[in-house]
Structure formats: C-alpha cells, structure tokens
Amino acid sequence: MSLLALSLVAQLAAAARPSPPVLAFPEAGLDDSSAYAGYVTRFHRDVDGNTVQLYLDRRQGRIVQLLANGENESVGFSARSANGTPAPVRWHSTDARVWREGRRRLFQYDLEVPESEVHVGRFVLGSMRVERDVQYFKEHLKPFTDSAYALAEYPALAAALDAQPVPVRRAALAALRASSLAQLRARFLPRLARRTPGDSVVLIEQLALDGLDTLRLRLSALDGGRVVASDARVVTLQAAPGHPLRFRVTISTTGRALTPLTRQEIFTEDFLAWTRDLQTRGDATRARWIERQVTGVELLASREKLMAGLPTYATYFGRDMLLSALMMQPIWRPEMSEFVIAAALRKLSPTGEVSHEEALGGQAIREAAADATHLLRAADSAAVAPGGRSRAEALRARAVRVLQARRMTRENYHMVDDEYQLPLLAARYLADRRVSAARKRTWLTGREGAQTRLALLLAELAVLADRSAPYVAHPVTSNFVPFAPREATATAYEGVPRWFAQSWRDSGAGYGNGKYAMDVNAVYIPHALAATQQILQALRDLGLLSPATWSAVPALRADTPLGRYARDAATLSNAIRIWRGAIEAFVVRRTPAEVQQQVEARLAVMPADERRYWRAFPRTGEGIEFLALALNDRGEPIGVVNSDPATRLFLDGLMAPAADSPVNRAALRRDASLFAREYPEGLLVPAVGAVVANDAYATPPIWQAFLDDPYHGPRVVWGREVNLFLLGVASHLPLVRDDRTTTELLHTAATRVREAVAASGFRSELWSYAFPNGRPHPTRYGSGGDVQLWSTTDLAVQYVWARMPQ
C-alpha cells in the first residue's frame, strides 16, 4: 500500500468514532436464544444519531444493514459457504465505527466465519421496501449465478421510453439526469465499482435511478485474507492460511438524515420517574425489559416522523402511529399527541383521507417510474386511435412531469381503518386536561401547509361522516363500509369474489376474504362518530365552531352529513345509536355440540403431533359466542374467533361510556373470556399467548388460506393485540367493581394472558410457535419487527397495571 493510501487510512481512522450497540436481540437473561433460531440483531447510531440496524439471519445466510434515515435505505447481501449452504457468520467485535466524508455518512463493523472461504452475493442496495420484497418473494435464496435482482419497474420504464418519440424520450431522460437509455439502464443493478487483482477490498455501489444518490458497500478481507474473485453478482473471500476468515463491512450513504427525539421529549416525567424507581427496587429483569422498550421508542422517534418498526417498516405508517399514540397517552407528553395528529393532517389526501404509508427516497422513485410507464403506454394506445394525437401528447407530458417530481414523497390511501382512528386521537387530545384551552386553540388554528389544522381536521371528519351516512339512512349490512374488490386468483377462495384486506389484518388471509370487517364497522366507526361528537363540542367550547364557521368551511355545508351534525347534535346522537347496533350483525353462536364437532373437524386435518397435543386438552363442554372476523359479500358472518374485540375493550374504556350507554357487562364477559379460553376452542395457547385468530369454526378453504398465509392466523400472537386487551381490561375494572363475577373474570383473563406472554419471552411485534417436542414452543416470526412502535405500548400496560389498586 502506498504512503498516500496509508496516510488516508490513518486520517479516516482518526475521524471515526466507536458506535456501541444500543440494543441487541436476543439478550441473555431476557430472551430465549433458541426461539430466535439463529437470528441475531444489533442496533447502533450513525454519525448523525440515526438508527442503524444490523441483522444476521443464519437460517438463510442473509445479512442486512438497515439505515433508518430520511430515505428508508438498506444494504443486504447473502453469505454462503463453499458448498452453497448459509455461511455461519457471526459478529467479530461489539462496536461499530461511524464517521462522515463530506455529504457521505459511513458505518463500519466486522464479521467472521469459522471457514476458509465465503461467497457473498444477492446484493440489494436501495429502499428497505425493496429488501422486504426480495425476502418475501425468496429472491435472496436464488443461486448467485442467477441474474441479479432488479426492480421490474425500471426495465419497464426503459422499454416504454424506447418506444417514444425522440423529444419525449430526451425530456424524460433529462428529468432522470441521464444522457441515454444505456446510461439509465446501467443504474438498474448494483455494480462492481472497484477491485484490484490481489487486493483485499471490493466496492459494490448502487446509483439511484436519477443518479443523485449512491449507496456503497465495501467488503474488506482482514488478517491477510484476500478477494480471490468478484463481479457484480458474487464476491469470494478467502482467509489467510491458519486464520479464520474475518472481513469488514463498510456501508455509506448520502441519504437525508433525521433528527432524533430523546426520551425526555417523548415521555412524561411521572413515567420516567417510575422507570428510575424500578431500577432501585431489585427487579433487575423487569427493569431491563422496561429500559429496552424505552430505548426502542427512542430508536423509532424523530422530529420528522415516528417510524412504525424496525427493520421492516422504518417509515411512517398512519395506523401504527395513531393507535400507538392512543395507547401511549398515559405515559406520553401532550406534545406527542400534537405531533402525531399534525403528521396525519399534513398527509391528508385532497379529499381528506388519512395516509396509511409514505413512499419516499428510492420507493418514491420506484412508484414514479411505474406511474410514468403506465402513462406512456396509455399514450401509445391513444396515439393510434382516431383523433387521439392530442390525448397522447397530454399523457406523455404528464409522464415527464411525474419523472420530474420523482422524489416527492408519495402517500398511500388504500386502507380504511385509519380514517376512523384520527378522530379518536383528536378527541382525546381535546379532552386532555394537561393542555390549556388557550394552547389547544392556538394549536388548532396553526397551519399545516396552506390550511389550518382545524380545517384539515374537519375535512377528515367529513370523510367519516360521508362514509357512515348510508348505514344511518338505511341500517342494513349492504350499507356497511366495505373493502374494495380485487381480482380473483387461483387461491383457496377460487371462484369466489375476492376483497382487499384494508384494515390492520392486511394479509391475503387476514379477514378470511371478508367484505365487511368487524373492526371497521362494529368497533371503529361507532367510536369515531362518538369522538366526532366530542370534537364538535370541544370546538364550540373553544369558540372555534359557530354559525360563522359553518359558512366558511366547505366540510360544514348544510347539505353534508357533517354539516348536519354540527348544526344538530341530536342527529349525530342518532347516528351513533344506529352504528352501535351494527355489532349484532357479527355475533356468532355455537352450541356445545357444534363446538365439539367443529373443533374435532379442525384437529383432524392438523399434523399428527399437533393433533395429539390438542386432543389431550380437556374440553370445556360449553357453547361459544363471539364476534365474527368479518361478513362475506352476502352479509354472512365468517366464523373466525379473533382478537379484534381487544380493540373494542380498549376503546370502550378509553372513550368512557356515556350515561346513555353503560357498560354492556354480558358483552364484556363474552369478549374477555375468549382470551382466557384455551385453544382450540378459544384464543389462549399456554406459554405462548393469545393467538390472533382461531379458524376452528370456519370452513376448510379458510383453514387452507391461513396455512398458506399465517401472518394473521392461528399460529401467531401479536403484541399489539395483547396490549390492547390488557389496557382494555385495566380501564374496565373500575367500571364494574360492583360486579364480582365480571371483575373476577377480567382479572383471570388478564392474568392468564400476561402469564402466557411472560412465559413466551416475547413482547415484540408478533411471534409464533412450533412443536419441536410435541408441545408448543414460542419462536420468532420470520418477518417480525424487533422494535415495533405499537409493541412498545407494553410500556403503557406495565405502567397502568403497576398503578392499579391491588
């Protein structure tokens, strides 16, 4: 190495600083390492304090570096032994190193393999959304000799541009900062940027489609090792004789940084004092659990956004943020409610819908490329139609404008549940006694862009009022808020109309192919309308809602549902009453004989070890009543016992029952008992938790759908659902203290769920279980988030239950 090179290395070493792990999973004393099945992860901070997550999935040999910054970036690659199996990669040292070179931020750490040679390939540098797709479609498991993974949207765009008139092609390429299609195509895949024969360093880089940003991955063989072969598909590293193979990973980015929030900015002082007190009580394990989750919230929080989770969802998700803020209100500062509501209002669609998810950085460019391709193809079709020339020119001009605005953050509005969650949080904020009336008034009249927060909030309430109005006018199931239709595919539901899952169970099997979701229609909408009533009254009390407001705000026109509600409170009360009755359409009842028959039918098709275990469980001999997961397109209940009544318990307690709507104790006992009733009749799996669904009372096609897509099925526990249930029980206990039967049932159900979760060792986004020795054993779910915003709501659970009278 030259003197100049040595001098540069010395300068960089001096500029770098250590970045010790902030968190690591699994952690001795807290986590069962066997449940992680070879998966290990660490969280660090980069030079700007942004979260960097590293994980090694030894089951599949995948190594991912998530850069939880303003671009949601990641760098992933696979490591394989000489025989093609996943390489036994492990951390070599604890600390990482971070530094800056101009605009570029660098992160570096060391790995080792107890072998003499390792092959590295399936490089994916870009948005974490891309890495998510790669793993979902098993692209990372393909042979290294296969073609490198490329986003389908980019070759499609190039092909569409190739067919355009020269002026259009030139304008589009100029928008993408490319001089030719050949230069554009060169940006589609990672490229080998540098490798000197016999050298120990190889550099892989990925240009953004517009050439403005570059992600780089540098692999350096250490201790005398060397790079013996390399191209853009596979790099082969060899150890020096007599040494294990150790190599250094350096990743660098020019992506935008975020501005982290501290725990003092997030949590109330009372809560932080409680966490400090735990440290002195001698319960070291519990104190460590709490500290880990507090740190997890810090890793997700910045002044720009609250991320939904790490590693998979390192960006804004409206639902996750809104529901978490509702659950965290006892322990979050009021400023956090303002922050979350403002973020949601800022991202409303022009017609008032709440954004489900943002696409930014590489994902925004990817979606822009797809939109531009669609427009160009439409232009080609228009051009050959009679009189279609002017339309074709307009479509091509639009395509160019889309490419010019390719980096503009895009919002996804296809979910429906978040429309009904924002009013709940807004109502809670306006009822928060910690916030003065003057501050609320000032905050509401402040602006997000061109409009005041008040105007934006009213526009969103108008969406809720409009969508719920048909059922108010004619309360039949066909007037429930439906999911959107989707194309039929060759699945378990072949030949049956298909529906998108547009609420939180957003997987293919999540709602059992239901058209009308129970959580949307029987839980969220009635509560959101009640929240609207509270908001309108609060606005009157603040002097922000008056006849003058009605005429000035389009959302409050006299001929709109919201306008009528603002003018006549009785009309809104009637709408709430009608929607509260919607729940009856979802009630499912099974006799004891039917329970026995349907459970046995479900067990009969399970693997032998599972069947033996569940058959050994004593049966209750009782019938069952539960709320169906959804209704099908004929308005019939889909017989899947589910955890969504936890949301109802939580919201019922949160919004405080009105005098005209006292606690329905029979319904409360019905819903809570499902969480304490053991599977396969109910939801509770001992030493694992309350599963998110039980399909024993459904049909064989639904059984198969959950086997094919288990994400929201009978083998999965979701931390969010556990926390909603426990918070819901806690809020109801004071309301039924005079009812010993109901109180004992609630205590028993909460205790059984808490004990099962504690025994599982998980408090994460979700977890599953296997049958390694003929009985359920909790395991990490493959795509589960290690730090998930709504899973950290366990902090609120711990705090609320600790302060309850014993």
Side-chain angles (χ1 to χ4, degrees), residues 270-291:
D270 284 349
F271 171 76
L272 293 176
W274 176 75
T275 65
R276 291 191 295 268
D277 187 47
L278 280 179
Q279 305 285 342
T280 65
R281 293 183 192 174
D283 188 349
T285 300
R286 187 183 184 201
R288 180 59 196 149
W289 269 110
I290 297 296
E291 173 60 24

Side-chain angles (χ1 to χ4, degrees), residues 144-291:
F144 289 165
T145 51
D146 276 16
S147 300
Y149 179 77
L151 291 172
E153 293 87 349
Y154 292 171
L157 175 63
L161 289 175
D162 201 18
Q164 299 308 306
V166 172
V168 175
R169 184 164 62 248
R170 284 177 177 167
L173 289 172
L176 295 171
R177 298 169 55 88
S179 60
S180 64
L181 280 174
Q183 186 183 44
L184 187 69
R185 290 189 173 104
R187 299 170 181 170
F188 294 172
L189 297 172
R191 67 183 186 186
L192 182 67
R194 188 178 75 243
R195 188 243 165 172
T196 305
D199 199 355
S200 62
V201 178
V202 64
L203 182 67
I204 304 288
E205 70 177 17
Q206 175 73 64
L207 289 173
L209 186 68
D210 58 7
L212 284 174
D213 290 324
T214 309
L215 270 171
R216 290 177 181 164
L217 165 67
R218 188 167 71 227
L219 300 174
S220 310
L222 305 174
D223 299 334
R226 61 195 184 111
V227 178
V228 296
S230 63
D231 58 33
R233 289 185 297 177
V234 59
V235 174
T236 301
L237 303 171
Q238 270 186 1
H243 290 271
L245 178 58
R246 185 161 66 94
F247 62 99
R248 178 161 293 163
V249 179
T250 308
I251 53 178
S252 67
T253 178
T254 55
R256 291 180 296 113
L258 299 174
T259 312
L261 291 174
T262 66
R263 64 184 62 191
Q264 288 75 22
E265 295 172 293
I266 300 168
F267 296 100
T268 66
E269 181 51 41
D270 284 349
F271 171 76
L272 293 176
W274 176 75
T275 65
R276 291 191 295 268
D277 187 47
L278 280 179
Q279 305 285 342
T280 65
R281 293 183 192 174
D283 188 349
T285 300
R286 187 183 184 201
R288 180 59 196 149
W289 269 110
I290 297 296
E291 173 60 24

Side-chain angles (χ1 to χ4, degrees), residues 573-586:
S573 294
N574 183 58
I576 295 167
R577 179 188 59 79
I578 291 171
W579 269 101
R580 282 176 178 159
I583 198 166
E584 294 303 320
F586 296 89

Side-chain angles (χ1 to χ4, degrees), residues 362-513:
Q363 182 64 20
I365 297 173
R366 176 186 185 182
E367 294 183 12
D371 287 352
T373 300
H374 176 76
L375 290 167
L376 292 172
R377 287 173 175 171
D380 293 343
S381 298
V384 297
R389 181 175 177 180
S390 60
R391 172 168 165 74
E393 290 176 351
L395 289 168
R396 287 165 175 152
R398 282 179 57 194
V400 172
R401 289 196 297 272
V402 166
L403 294 176
Q404 290 169 338
R406 65 202 170 277
R407 286 182 172 263
M408 183 176 66
T409 300
R410 291 164 159 255
E411 308 296 342
N412 180 319
Y413 299 103
H414 73 276
M415 291 292 170
V416 299
D417 54 340
D418 36 27
E419 259 72 70
Y420 313 116
Q421 292 162 350
L422 178 55
L424 300 172
L425 183 59
R428 292 295 296 166
Y429 168 70
L430 291 174
D432 194 335
R433 295 180 179 178
R434 297 172 297 175
V435 185
S436 69
R439 176 170 157 183
K440 291 172 185 173
R441 193 179 298 108
T442 299
W443 186 82
L444 284 166
T445 54
R447 307 186 83 82
E448 297 295 335
Q451 298 190 63
T452 66
R453 298 186 184 105
L454 175 60
L456 291 167
L457 177 60
L458 291 170
E460 201 279 329
L461 294 180
V463 173
L464 159 64
D466 290 346
R467 290 184 181 177
S468 59
Y471 186 77
V472 175
H474 190 199
V476 295
T477 56
S478 58
N479 281 334
F480 281 152
V481 172
F483 288 156
R486 64 183 298 177
E487 293 182 4
T489 54
T491 68
Y493 305 118
E494 188 173 4
V496 175
R498 298 288 318 274
W499 310 95
F500 282 104
Q502 292 177 283
S503 190
W504 86 273
R505 297 172 182 263
D506 53 351
S507 58
Y511 284 90
N513 195 37

